[in-house]
Structures are given as structure tokens and as C-alpha cells.
Amino acid sequence: LRSRTDSASADQDNLKYSSSRDRGNSASYGLQPSNSAVVSRQRHDDIRVHTDIQNEDKGGYSVNGGSGENTYGRKSLGQELRVNNVTNPDFTSVPHGNRALATKDMRKSQERSLSYSDESRLSNLLRRITREDDRDRRLATVKQLKEFIQQPENKLVLVKQLDNILTAIHDVLNESYEAEKIFKWIFSKFSLSTKDEVKLLYLCATYKALETVGEKKAFSSLMQLVMTSLQSILENVDTPELLCKCVKCILLLSRCYPHIFSTNFRDTVDILVGWHIDHTQKPSLTQQVSGWLQSLEPFWVADLTFSTTLLGQFLEDMEAYAEDLSHVASGESLDEDIPPPSVSLPKLAALLRVFSTVVRSIGERFSPIRGPPITEAYVTDVLYRVMRCVTAANQVFFSEAVLTAANECVGVLLGSLDPSMTIHCDMVITYGLDQMENCQTCGTDYIISVLNLLTLIVEQINTKLPSSFVEKLFIPESKLLVLRYHKEKEVVAAAHAVYQAVLSLKNIPVLETAYRLILGEMTCALNSLLYSLHLPEACSEIQHDSFKKHVFTVENAKFVVIFDLSALSTIGNAKNSLIGVSKSYIGKVCAMLTSCIMKSDF
């Protein structure tokens, strides 16, 4: 038996995944403020003109504040840019002698002297601010715009372009050219913080900053620093809350800057896989981690070598744990390195779950139709190795968690194969039927996983299904028939789906086998109802030998008739169904059932 730790190292490209996480608290991000020059925000000084004007003729006249006019009778810059003030009838101050008249004349003169070149220059400045990608040239253009605004003779041009001016200035202000300083400050504070609730706030701020930055090219160089810092945080977080906030930031960065994230993809997966296979975490967190990994599908597909190698590692560890279980059960080994079943079984289940997650993460690319490295031989080999591993473990120790995860894994692999491909059906069919035998007394999740797997087996193997498989599904001793009475609606719906899958087959001999068994059961149930009313049996021509000695209770008989009618009617109404002839019989049964209801309290 080979020795093994919970961390596996790949032989290719230093590939690795960790089943345990280092949850140290001494994270250091190397984000102390640098000595590099930081461009300061330009300050826009308010232009205030404070001039006391003494009216020589009237003895004293001040225009400070009140009307906001300067020495030349024009309003200050802030007031000139307010459209409401310009259009307001009160914009012009109440005339005060010859001076007021001179002011009005001056304004009219300025309007008449407005040149087309001034308007063109403003438009050109705004256009350059909007389109310029270079930071320094953009700021230089903003400075020119500021100088243009400060010139009084440009007032009317500014009013006409006010919306465009404000939009351009707003965009520049929101660019935050100090983003690097801000991100470094956030990560530095995070590393120094000792309280999780405070760290959560810093990660929320990081996410908001990333949202603001968006996909702007100007910040591409900064994003490598951000990604490195987030990766460091991810490697050291030890609570689900911090994990969720950190991953949320990383996923946003992966969408906006995929070329940056791609270099950290493997390291990110390594950490998330560690959380995924930690069976001590709540199932809700495991499911959430699975969703995160699947959301990275483009990166899984772009690095198929990594993806398939990781799957190989999971499979090897599954087989090793199954082998450990067999040695423990036989008592052949006293090796202290071999974990007990209480450790091996949860870890085996966790490996099966993460295996399914990675297959789903690869998405449609995990299909032999798409070509190497995912070939028909590859998928078939992996499928059989998983089933052999689980079957061997189940023969020694029954674990509902292991079998539930295994059914999901087998289903994912089976679903990746095209129905036209040649697969050895016997092992898959045997596996599915064995699972059904175990599930009657198990939990809802396991039962549903078994029924979903049976439905998938029918759909995938399809015309290659033997009649013996269908017989085992629908004979009176079948656990499938018992599961229809389950108290959970989800279980009943999953059982109904198995019926529909079988009745949709295009294999006529198999379909006839299923059809006769279902009709035979329904006739038996109907006759049980008739017997309870002391009425003679009916439909003797379609009674099935398997149900001749079977007797239903009244309640079960009513349920079976309704359940079977539902399955048959749904399929009988389908355009591509081969059992449309069932309509006449269904009509006959419905008529007899109606008669029974009228004669009793059914």
C-alpha cells in the first residue's frame, strides 16, 4: 500500500491541491506605502472677487455678496455656470444709474463678439478629455479646460456646453488616479486588523473599489497587485464569511481582467478545492464553493491539462481510500498510517463531490465529441474506475453520504457520453439496480440521487437496454414501486420521471415489456377497488402474471391507478410516443374508475 497524505502533488507543472488549509493568522501582504511619487489631485480654487465699489455720486454703494457681481458687473464663475441663474428673469441686477446700463451694454457686446473658434476650442477640449487614454495627457487637457472656464469672455459658450462640461469633469473625478494608493492602504489595514468584522468591511471596500474601476485599461497594471494581495488573503482566511467576501472580489476581477486572473487560476483553485473537500464544513458552504469553481469554466477549459490531471489525482485518492477500507475490514493490516473508516468514508465522499464539481466546471468541453484529451476511452475508463471504487467500499462499509456523492458522480460522467457511443451497459445497469435495493430506508437525498441515476441510465443507454432491466423496475418486488408512496413530493416526482423515461423508449420489445407490467399493475389495483365494493373483476385480458396474486389496500390501489394513469397519459399524448394505442384502454379504465367512485366513498 502506498503512503499518502491529504495533499497531493502533481507531476506536471507543479500541480497540487490541498485537502487541508493553513489557517494561520500571520498574514503579511507587503503593502507598505511606497516612496514613489503620487500625483495629487488638482485643487480647484474658488474664484471669488471681493471688491468694494464706492459710488461717488450716491455716497456709497457695495456689491459684495448680494447680487454676486464683480467690478465689471458680471457674476462670479460659479453663478455664470448655473443655467437656472442665466435663464431666470432676475439674472440681471436691478439697474442703478448709468453704471447698470453700461453693464448691460457690455454683456450684449460680449454676446455679439462670440466667435466660432471659441466654441470649437471647447468642443475639442471635451473631445480630447473623453477619448484620451494616457493619464498625463488627459490631466493636461483638463488643466486647459480649467483655464478656458476661468476666462470671462467664454461665459456664453460655457452655458451652451454645460452638460458636456460637467459630465467630462465628473468622469475625471471618478477615475481616482490614486487607486494604487487606495488599494495598498486597504490591504495594509486588512493585514493589521485582528477583528473579522473589520476585515469584512475592508473586503467590502475592495469589492466596491473594483466595481468602480471596472474594465478600464488604465488600471490593468494595478490589477496584478490587487490579485496578488487577494490571493494572499485567500490563502489565510479561516472563516466562511471572510472566504465568501474574498472570493467575491476575486471572481469580479476574473471577469473584468481575465488575463490577470489566469496567472493565478491554479493557485485559486488549489485553495478552493481545499475548502470543497473539507467535510467538516456545512453542506451549504460546500455547494457555494462548487458554484464558484464552476463559474470559472473558461479558465478550466483553457487549461485542460491542469483540469484532467487534477481529476486523475482525485481518482487515485478515491481508490486509495477504498483500498484502506478493505484492509481495515479484513484486519490484514495494522499500519498506523491507514485511517479508520470514520475518516476514510467522509473523505471518499468529499473526493467524489469535488470530482463532480470539476467535471461540471469543464462544462460542454468535457465530452468525447469535442476531442482529446476528453475521449470516449478516457471517460469510460474514469466511469468504471469510480463505480469499482464505490462498489468495493460499499461492500465493506455502507455509507449513505458516499453513495449519494457517487451517484451524482456517475451521473455526471454518464451524461457526458453521447447515447450513440458504445459503452458496456452491464456494469452501469447493475450499479444502478444495486443502488435501488439499498435506498428504501435511507434519506431523501440518497433516494432522489438513485432515482435520478436510473432515469439517466434509461435515457443514455436507451435502445441498448435489456428487457430484464425494465422487468426489475416494475415487478411487484421492485423498490421503485414502494418509493412511489414516499411522503416527500420530490421523491414521488423522481419516481414518476423514471416511468416517463422508460415509456419514452424507442425500443419496441423493451417498451412492450414495461407497458404490460404497468397495465397489469393498474388492472390489479382496479380489481382491488372492485373487490372492496363486492364487484366482479374486470380487464382480465390485460392482467399480468406477476400481479395475479398481489393485493393492494384501498388507499394504495387508488394511488397506483392515479399514478400509472398519469404516467401513461403523459406519454400517450406525446407526438413521438409509440404507445398512443393506450388511449382506448386508458379511457376504459377511467370509465370503470368513475363507476367505482360513484358506488363508493372513494
Side-chain angles (χ1 to χ4, degrees), residues 2 4-19 266-267 269-270 273 300 303-314 316-317:
R2 67 179 176 83
R4 182 189 69 261
T5 64
D6 289 337
S7 298
S9 300
D11 296 331
Q12 185 173 354
D13 298 330
N14 296 322
L15 177 68
K16 64 187 179 66
Y17 79 91
S18 303
S19 61
R266 294 189 179 190
D267 291 333
V269 167
D270 180 49
V273 164
W300 290 102
D303 199 351
L304 275 178
T305 300
F306 167 78
S307 304
T308 54
T309 305
L310 194 60
L311 288 173
Q313 289 181 353
F314 295 151
E316 288 177 3
D317 278 4

Side-chain angles (χ1 to χ4, degrees), residues 5 73 102 104 119 123 147 172 194 207 298 359 483 509 558 562 594:
T5 64
K104 292 171 69 176
E119 191 166 358
S123 298
E147 294 171 352
V172 172
T194 57
Y207 184 84
V359 172
L483 292 175
K558 289 190 293 184
I562 294 172
T594 301

Side-chain angles (χ1 to χ4, degrees), residues 13-65:
D13 298 330
N14 296 322
L15 177 68
K16 64 187 179 66
Y17 79 91
S18 303
S19 61
S20 61
R21 300 183 307 283
D22 179 12
R23 298 189 176 186
N25 294 322
S26 57
S28 175
Y29 307 104
L31 294 177
Q32 298 301 322
S34 66
N35 296 323
S36 61
V38 178
V39 178
S40 302
R41 295 177 180 172
Q42 296 196 20
R43 302 182 181 276
H44 297 273
D45 297 326
D46 293 331
I47 303 175
R48 299 183 178 88
V49 180
H50 300 281
T51 306
D52 292 330
I53 302 176
Q54 299 296 325
N55 189 305
E56 297 177 358
D57 298 331
K58 299 291 184 176
Y61 175 72
S62 173
V63 294
N64 284 345

Side-chain angles (χ1 to χ4, degrees), residues 207-223:
Y207 184 84
K208 205 65 182 174
L210 287 171
E211 268 191 328
T212 302
V213 166
E215 303 178 25
K216 297 175 182 176
K217 293 185 295 183
F219 294 96
S220 293
S221 58
L222 172 61
M223 285 305 109

Side-chain angles (χ1 to χ4, degrees), residues 139-315:
L139 288 177
T141 307
V142 171
K143 186 176 181 181
Q144 293 177 31
L145 176 62
K146 177 185 175 183
E147 294 171 352
F148 186 90
I149 292 174
Q150 289 175 327
Q151 296 180 25
E153 63 271 17
N154 295 329
K155 180 194 69 175
L156 191 57
V157 180
L158 297 174
V159 170
K160 289 182 177 181
Q161 294 262 26
L162 182 59
D163 287 343
N164 294 333
I165 295 170
L166 293 177
T167 299
I169 295 174
H170 181 269
D171 290 344
V172 172
L173 290 175
N174 280 340
E175 284 176 354
S176 181
Y177 286 120
E178 296 184 345
E180 181 175 353
K181 182 178 180 181
I182 292 171
F183 277 117
K184 284 186 175 182
W185 179 85
I186 290 175
F187 293 132
S188 176
K189 288 294 184 181
F190 182 96
S191 64
L192 296 174
S193 178
T194 57
K195 295 182 178 180
D196 285 351
E197 56 268 28
V198 177
K199 290 182 176 181
L200 284 173
L201 292 175
Y202 284 124
L203 287 174
C204 286
T206 301
Y207 184 84
K208 205 65 182 174
L210 287 171
E211 268 191 328
T212 302
V213 166
E215 303 178 25
K216 297 175 182 176
K217 293 185 295 183
F219 294 96
S220 293
S221 58
L222 172 61
M223 285 305 109
Q224 186 57 64
L225 178 147
V226 175
M227 184 64 237
T228 301
S229 300
L230 288 172
Q231 184 68 38
S232 179
I233 292 173
L234 182 66
E235 291 171 356
N236 291 278
V237 294
D238 55 1
T239 67
E241 294 77 17
L242 287 172
L243 174 71
C244 291
K245 291 294 182 184
C246 182
V247 173
K248 188 178 179 182
C249 293
I250 291 175
L251 293 181
L252 178 59
L253 191 148
S254 72
R255 291 192 296 271
C256 296
Y257 299 89
H259 61 291
I260 299 294
F261 174 74
S262 61
T263 59
N264 291 83
F265 168 65
R266 294 189 179 190
D267 291 333
T268 300
V269 167
D270 180 49
I271 302 301
L272 293 182
V273 164
W275 281 89
H276 198 304
I277 64 177
D278 183 357
H279 58 85
T280 64
Q281 298 296 331
K282 293 181 179 180
S284 58
L285 179 64
T286 302
Q287 189 173 3
Q288 193 168 19
V289 174
S290 177
W292 293 335
L293 288 168
Q294 291 179 56
S295 71
L296 298 174
E297 179 180 337
F299 301 95
W300 290 102
V301 173
D303 199 351
L304 275 178
T305 300
F306 167 78
S307 304
T308 54
T309 305
L310 194 60
L311 288 173
Q313 289 181 353
F314 295 151
L315 192 54

